[in-house]
Amino acid sequence: MLSRTTSRLVNNRLGFIRLYSSLNLRVPVTLPNGVTYEQPTGLFINGEFVPSRQHKTFEVINPSTEEEITHVYEAREDDVDVAVAAAKEAFDNGWSQSNPEDRARGLFKLADLIEEHAETLAGIESLDNGKSLLCSRADVALVSKYLRSCGGWADKLYGDVIDTGKDYFSYSVREPLGVCGQIIPWNFPLLMWSWKVGPALATGNTVVLKPAEATPLSALYACQLVQEAGIPRGVVNILPGFGKIVGERLCTHPNVKKIAFTGSTATGRHIMKSAADTIKKVTLELGGKSPNIVFSDADLDKAVKSIAFGIFYNSGEVCCAGSRVYVQDTVYDEVLEKFKEYTESLVVGDPFQKDVFQGAQTSQMQLDKILDYVKIGTNEGARVVAGGERKGDKGYFIKPTIFADVSEDMRIVKEEIFGPIVTVSKFSTVDEVVSAANDSVYGLAAGIHTKDVNKAINVSKRIKAGTIWINTYNDFHQNVPFGGFNSSGIGREMGAAALDNYTQTKSVRMSIDKPQY
């Protein structure tokens, strides 16, 4: 579906030539399943879809066909300033002091609307990102559950009464921060939108959010539902654009009090430096190279399905993907053969087709990166057990890939690939596999497969990671905190822990005069 847009060259007041685009603020888009919907294309600022001030646009590509879906308006620094001003106005003049039940009502209504529009939103995710409808539908279901959970937390932001003796009354309260700048990735566009917007709104903050430039469509569509839910103007603002412009301005803007970022570790480091001059609160959910361990006493058939889901779900574009599989030596050959057979049974292709498990990678750049790692692994001496090549010649598809005969110093074992590539290693003892699992700069997640409860608890305590899944993987729940150790980030998403990222503690200490009788 091509966007309806006209362009002309105009002189600005300094005499430079620039491209001026006039794009409809909504365009019809027809999904591959025949569903047609109206796609917002403008920036969402102060409760309205508007063109960017410089009227620049950029194209959005369908990863499955390599064809243009539409254009959307591109935000620049001046648009950030306008959006931050709107968010600050909304914060200062109502939302931060709103009744918790009003914030809860808005989030509950938004969750209901997400459910009502679930099939359209799932279709947008698959069109825009390339993931299979199986994955998109699961994402949208968790979005509505999480927003509803955030609504439930809105009236449970408790402070403390602190006993400091009879001469004082001391207590603490938790208050919102202000305008929160939020930068989300392209692998889970709508889910990451909810993980950022939900807790910020529940705690009384306002938001200026930059979706990934590759996948802005679902974030914009969801803004219509924000309006319909009755959430006031200026509370949520969405700016499609590029990180070096929009992200950088959010990080340095003096009226932005917090930055929440999900993405690569390298970008996370840069964001911390950029935010330092204005002393913003920063939370980061970053990369991973997560171990997934299969002990000999595990239910092997169940374990094989779990490790496949752990790495190939969402086309392997998952920060916590179980990309390093360790199998105990006594069952190594059996597990590897079962894993190969199961992997080759997975259907890769058009995300809108029935039974497709793995869709396209999100971009040509990501596909090229993954294929480069296939070459790197082969050159390092690893053996390709399954996959290892592109599927077809149109669309960014790659076959799910298993490498065996790997050593711990190989790049495919050490570096985050962010695609459907997994390494399989052999181990003998618990101490050996714990040491290998922890031999990483990351610490986002890990998996353990065993029928021995004592072993599961012992190993989970010893592995340095923010989330441990036992006899399951990539198994999220809206009330279970998620986040990383070490280079995998700072702070937590979901659960009560997420609210800490969006509040600050104020202490009040009052002297009590002795009564005069």
Side-chain angles (χ1 to χ4, degrees):
M1 171 65 204
L2 296 179
S3 59
R4 294 176 291 174
T5 180
T6 58
S7 300
R8 61 188 176 92
L9 293 174
V10 298
N11 288 309
N12 68 10
R13 60 187 179 85
L14 298 178
F16 296 112
I17 301 297
R18 66 174 183 165
L19 185 66
Y20 182 100
S21 295
S22 178
L23 173 67
N24 291 342
L25 291 173
R26 284 181 172 82
V27 298
V29 172
T30 300
L31 300 172
N33 59 9
V35 174
T36 297
Y37 75 98
E38 291 289 314
Q39 173 62 54
T41 61
L43 317 182
F44 187 70
I45 298 177
N46 202 29
E48 296 181 273
F49 288 104
V50 296
S52 57
R53 294 172 71 82
Q54 297 186 29
H55 282 260
K56 293 179 180 292
T57 64
F58 63 93
E59 65 179 355
V60 182
I61 297 296
N62 179 347
S64 301
T65 64
E66 304 182 46
E67 296 173 355
E68 181 184 294
I69 302 169
T70 185
H71 277 237
V72 297
Y73 280 100
E74 177 197 341
R76 311 282 289 189
E77 292 95 337
D78 47 359
D79 300 299
V80 175
D81 293 344
V82 173
V84 170
K88 187 175 186 300
E89 175 76 12
F91 180 85
D92 291 340
N93 294 297
W95 187 250
S96 63
Q97 300 298 319
S98 59
N99 290 328
E101 57 265 34
D102 293 334
R103 300 198 298 271
R105 188 180 299 110
L107 286 164
F108 291 152
K109 178 61 175 175
L110 181 57
D112 291 342
L113 290 167
I114 293 288
E115 285 186 341
E116 290 176 23
H117 292 252
E119 197 60 20
T120 299
L121 284 164
I124 295 171
E125 292 290 81
S126 291
L127 180 73
D128 196 12
N129 169 273
K131 66 176 70 186
S132 69
L133 274 176
L134 170 77
C135 297
S136 294
R137 287 168 175 153
D139 291 356
V140 176
L142 183 54
V143 167
S144 59
K145 289 177 183 178
Y146 183 54
L147 291 173
R148 194 168 286 113
S149 175
C150 289
W153 283 111
D155 61 355
K156 300 172 183 64
L157 300 173
Y158 304 128
D160 294 295
V161 175
I162 306 159
D163 186 356
T164 58
K166 63 183 178 60
D167 296 327
Y168 291 89
F169 177 55
S170 300
Y171 64 96
S172 66
V173 294
R174 293 168 69 183
E175 296 186 350
L177 303 171
V179 179
C180 296
Q182 303 180 318
I183 305 169
I184 62 173
W186 41 259
N187 57 331
F188 290 95
L190 189 65
L191 185 60
M192 296 299 101
W193 182 93
S194 71
W195 283 14
K196 299 295 187 284
V197 169
L201 268 57
T203 49
N205 297 278
T206 57
V207 167
V208 179
L209 182 146
K210 189 197 89 65
E213 54 268 26
T215 54
L217 301 185
S218 60
L220 292 173
Y221 187 90
C223 289
Q224 300 175 123
L225 309 184
V226 169
Q227 288 177 303
E228 192 174 342
I231 293 170
R233 295 162 59 95
V235 172
V236 176
N237 304 272
I238 306 295
L239 302 180
F242 295 86
K244 290 183 178 179
I245 298 171
V246 176
E248 193 72 20
R249 181 57 179 155
L250 285 172
C251 290
T252 58
H253 199 293
N255 288 332
V256 173
K257 301 305 179 183
K258 173 194 164 51
I259 293 291
F261 170 75
T262 297
S264 73
T265 298
T267 303
R269 291 192 188 99
H270 177 78
I271 282 172
M272 288 190 75
K273 293 175 183 177
S274 297
D277 285 344
T278 47
I279 317 295
K280 300 185 194 316
K281 191 169 187 175
V282 176
T283 52
L284 307 169
E285 198 264 280
L286 306 176
K289 192 70 178 178
S290 300
N292 206 351
I293 303 165
V294 181
F295 288 99
S296 59
D297 62 353
D299 179 332
L300 298 186
D301 290 331
K302 181 180 178 182
V304 163
K305 292 179 181 179
S306 185
I307 60 177
F309 191 80
I311 181 60
F312 302 133
Y313 180 77
N314 207 62
S315 306
E317 294 174 343
V318 184
C319 53
C320 57
S323 53
R324 292 185 291 148
V325 170
Y326 294 92
V327 182
Q328 199 153 26
D329 51 9
T330 54
V331 294
Y332 177 84
D333 291 335
E334 180 183 358
V335 169
L336 188 59
E337 183 58 34
K338 286 177 179 287
F339 188 26
K340 176 181 185 294
E341 181 180 352
Y342 186 78
T343 296
E344 291 178 339
S345 74
L346 298 175
V347 181
V348 180
D350 181 347
F352 287 85
Q353 292 298 311
K354 184 181 178 182
D355 299 327
V356 167
F357 176 77
Q358 182 182 308
Q361 309 308 132
T362 302
S363 67
Q364 180 72 57
M365 182 183 298
Q366 193 62 23
L367 176 67
D368 291 343
K369 176 186 175 183
I370 294 164
L371 291 173
D372 283 345
Y373 270 105
V374 172
K375 294 177 184 177
I376 289 167
T378 303
N379 292 338
E380 287 179 323
R383 173 168 60 95
V384 176
V385 174
E389 60 186 2
R390 183 174 183 173
K391 184 180 186 296
D393 57 6
K394 187 174 185 181
Y396 310 134
F397 298 98
I398 184 171
K399 295 179 181 178
T401 300
I402 302 171
F403 274 109
D405 303 335
V406 299
S407 58
E408 292 299 300
D409 60 346
M410 289 181 175
R411 287 181 62 188
I412 57 171
V413 178
K414 290 292 186 186
E415 299 175 11
E416 183 179 37
I417 299 171
F418 219 67
I421 293 182
V422 65
T423 62
V424 183
S425 304
K426 186 186 299 184
F427 74 92
S428 297
T429 67
V430 170
D431 288 345
E432 178 188 353
V433 76
V434 167
S435 177
N438 288 335
D439 186 18
S440 174
V441 298
Y442 299 108
L444 192 52
I448 301 167
H449 303 272
T450 177
K451 295 178 182 176
D452 185 335
V453 173
N454 293 311
K455 185 188 297 178
I457 293 173
N458 175 269
V459 174
S460 67
K461 285 183 177 180
R462 296 171 65 185
I463 291 179
K464 297 179 176 66
T467 295
I468 310 292
W469 283 296
I470 298 173
N471 296 325
T472 187
Y473 206 92
N474 278 339
D475 198 347
F476 295 94
H477 189 279
Q478 63 271 15
N479 285 328
V480 178
F482 177 77
F485 292 4
N486 305 323
S487 292
S488 288
I490 303 168
R492 292 295 179 267
E493 310 277 5
M494 298 196 296
L499 306 177
D500 294 336
N501 302 336
Y502 291 93
T503 58
Q504 54 195 344
T505 299
K506 175 182 285 182
S507 297
V508 180
R509 181 164 160 83
M510 180 172 65
S511 175
I512 301 174
D513 292 336
K514 185 175 181 179
Q516 301 296 317
Y517 297 104

